[in-house]
Amino acid sequence: MRVYKFGGASVKDANGIRNLREIVAQSSDDLMVVVSAMGKTTNALERLVSALSQGNEQLAEQEWLQVFDHHVYTILELGLQPNVDVRLPVMPTYNHEWSYDQNYDQIVSLGEIMSTQIIAVYLLKNGVPTEWWNIPKLLRTDATYREAQVDWQHSAQVIRAGWDRAARPHVVVTQGFIGGTEDGLRTTLGREGSDYTAALLGNFLDAESVTIWKDVPGILNADPRKQTDTIKIDQLSYHDAVELAYSGAQVIHPKTIRPLENKKIPLYVKPFGNPIASGSIICENARPVNVPVYIWRENQILITMRAKDFAFVLEESLSHIFDIIHRHHLTVSLVQSSAVTISVCVDNNRFVASALAELQDAYQVTWNDNLRLLTIRGTTPEILRTEQENRTILLSQTTRRTARLVINN
Ligand code: ASP
Ligand code: MG
């Protein structure tokens, strides 16, 4: 069996879903098809949760109607009947006895529930024997809402049993990005988490391969929105893929590689607009990458800690600082130390303020936000010189083949 994953951009409208059907129908293997929410639905649902939490009913309704209308329109365009073939949910409400994050997960997960229901019914009605799976009942997570941790063992057991029971040959369509707790509440795995779901399912079901269908020709050596003349990387090792993902490359979610590497399952990244193109492959014995790779990581904050009494910070404080960083769910993109300071570059997310407050109790803390981190793998002195020109560089780190620049916007 194989796992296919379709992201939001590839199922953003009826044409995208028709194209998905073409790709799925051409496969001679049993397929597990993992799907994201349509287009920018997740962003809209995030705005909806925020409006509801603030009691702004009018804005909430406006956001909901837009999401709802787009789904109804797509259902009609696909020749299906809303509320006959696909039953759409009513506008969600906010439970003030729950945390924001708990509400978020119940509501934002609706995007994936809706997209997969539409797709499963469309496939079924158009010649592809399909089963719809409600993954929150199968992919068990803890209750860390918005950042839920998957219980691999339990989930693998349930999912394998479900797969073995299903009729063959067949296609299962299910949701990426979401899971569920023991108590039956939905959770999410972190934004852009559908790739991770696909990798987990590949691992649990010992898939022959996992394919991520995307709106790019494969893995490129730079973001085509930021740089012209990009080059496709045909092959990449798991190791290089992890490095790339953690540096901020948008192609694959960083958590995707581990479940695949564990079982040596190859990962293909292919263009959904041209299914027969070769795309890129991530696998064990890939040729070394021989072009420079540029990776931008946006919205960074550079935080520098200095011991209040001028003590050496390093030995005593490293574990303390990283404990705080870990507890506040910060994602570190770079670390640098001197005798009396430690600097870390982290994603400037919703957890930063509370982490800063705790760090300030123990250290003299300074920071700069609105920064970008550029990682260049396979750099040369010429490339480095060009990239440093006309830019304010707050920090730079170079090793033999990799340069990292923290740049002021
Ligand atoms: N729909 C979710 C998001 O946009 C998950 C995903 O697309 O991978 O973050
Ligand atoms: Mg998405």
Side-chain angles (χ1 to χ4, degrees):
M1 61 88 55
R2 296 179 195 273
V3 178
Y4 280 2
K5 182 255 165 174
F6 292 86
S10 53
V11 294
K12 69 177 196 299
D13 53 21
N15 270 339
I17 294 173
R18 286 188 200 108
N19 186 50
L20 175 150
R21 198 207 80 94
E22 293 293 309
I23 293 175
V24 166
Q26 271 160 29
S27 165
S28 49
D29 299 290
D30 291 334
L31 289 182
M32 172 64 80
V33 180
V34 176
V35 185
S36 300
M38 292 177 66
K40 301 273 181 231
T41 301
T42 306
N43 293 350
L45 292 173
E46 278 190 343
R47 292 193 299 271
L48 168 69
V49 181
S50 154
L52 284 174
S53 77
Q54 291 157 12
N56 190 341
E57 287 291 327
Q58 204 187 340
L59 181 61
E61 204 171 307
Q62 210 175 309
E63 295 289 358
W64 176 251
L65 278 182
Q66 265 188 26
V67 168
F68 189 82
D69 285 355
H70 181 62
H71 285 80
V72 170
Y73 184 74
T74 306
I75 292 169
L76 291 170
E77 260 207 296
L78 290 170
L80 303 172
Q81 277 181 285
N83 287 333
V84 176
D85 295 315
V86 188
R87 192 185 295 273
L88 290 173
V90 294
M91 182 167 134
T93 53
Y94 195 91
N95 183 340
H96 286 277
E97 278 164 23
W98 287 349
S99 68
Y100 184 89
D101 290 353
Q102 190 166 354
N103 276 288
Y104 175 105
D105 278 5
Q106 308 322 304
I107 296 172
V108 166
S109 53
L110 292 174
E112 270 71 12
I113 303 277
M114 293 191 283
S115 65
T116 52
Q117 282 180 334
I118 297 173
I119 289 164
V121 172
Y122 178 74
L123 290 176
L124 196 58
K125 294 220 162 192
N126 288 275
V128 184
T130 304
E131 234 173 80
W132 177 81
W133 278 14
N134 184 24
I135 211 165
K137 295 266 178 278
L138 308 168
L139 192 75
R140 169 74 59 82
T141 73
D142 67 5
T144 316
Y145 295 103
R146 294 180 78 179
E147 207 60 63
Q149 302 298 312
V150 174
D151 178 341
W152 284 41
Q153 228 183 345
H154 178 92
S155 308
Q157 226 170 28
V158 177
I159 286 166
R160 260 184 231 136
W163 182 260
D164 290 342
R165 263 197 311 274
R168 302 232 140 52
H170 73 286
V171 172
V172 169
V173 170
T174 198
Q175 307 85 38
F177 173 56
I178 70 177
T181 65
E182 202 177 347
D183 304 335
L185 289 177
R186 290 194 293 267
T187 53
T188 64
L189 311 181
R191 284 302 308 265
E192 307 303 330
S194 306
D195 296 346
Y196 178 44
T197 307
L200 284 172
L201 294 177
N203 176 300
F204 299 162
L205 298 172
D206 292 303
E208 257 168 83
S209 66
V210 173
T211 304
I212 299 181
W213 297 94
K214 284 190 78 79
D215 54 354
V216 284
I219 297 178
L220 305 175
N221 76 323
D223 186 337
R225 289 165 299 190
K226 299 199 170 97
Q227 222 158 302
T228 47
D229 34 280
T230 53
I231 303 164
K232 178 164 75 76
I233 304 169
D234 296 332
Q235 298 189 3
L236 207 62
S237 65
Y238 293 117
H239 179 94
D240 283 344
V242 166
E243 292 265 3
L244 226 74
Y246 275 99
S247 310
Q250 299 284 314
V251 266
I252 27 175
H253 189 279
K255 281 172 139 182
T256 311
I257 303 303
R258 185 174 149 223
L260 300 176
E261 194 277 338
N262 284 179
K263 291 205 168 164
K264 308 288 179 247
I265 298 169
L267 173 67
Y268 295 93
V269 177
K270 290 188 176 222
F272 65 75
N274 184 13
I276 53 168
S278 62
S280 301
I281 176 171
I282 297 168
C283 58
E284 180 74 345
N285 297 311
R287 283 193 301 270
V289 178
N290 57 7
V291 291
V293 181
Y294 298 77
I295 307 145
W296 287 95
R297 192 157 172 145
E298 303 290 338
N299 198 19
Q300 299 293 296
I301 176 165
L302 180 66
I303 306 171
T304 301
M305 274 77 53
R306 184 185 290 274
K308 280 184 170 161
D309 57 2
F310 250 89
F312 284 94
V313 191
L314 203 54
E315 289 78 9
E316 300 111 76
S317 308
L318 260 182
S319 66
H320 178 233
I321 288 173
F322 278 94
D323 175 57
I324 297 176
I325 285 174
H326 179 71
R327 272 190 288 106
H328 290 270
H329 307 285
L330 300 190
T331 311
V332 177
S333 49
L334 176 149
V335 181
Q336 184 147 306
S337 63
S338 75
V340 292
T341 66
I342 295 173
S343 298
V344 292
C345 201
V346 300
D347 292 350
N348 196 356
N349 60 21
R350 65 190 190 281
F351 304 117
V352 165
S354 61
L356 280 176
E358 193 174 338
L359 288 167
Q360 278 172 304
D361 286 342
Y363 308 96
Q364 232 176 293
V365 184
T366 49
W367 65 87
N368 297 75
D369 58 6
N370 208 12
L371 308 176
R372 318 165 76 192
L373 173 66
L374 172 61
T375 302
I376 312 164
R377 293 170 55 81
T379 190
T380 62
E382 294 85 284
I383 292 177
L384 197 55
R385 214 172 305 124
T386 319
E387 291 303 326
Q388 283 174 321
E389 258 166 36
N390 307 319
R391 280 185 171 142
T392 314
I393 313 285
L394 266 69
L395 193 157
S396 78
Q397 254 181 16
T398 52
T399 52
R400 282 178 287 289
R401 290 194 66 237
T402 302
R404 313 217 290 156
L405 306 173
V406 179
I407 299 169
N408 205 340
N409 263 338

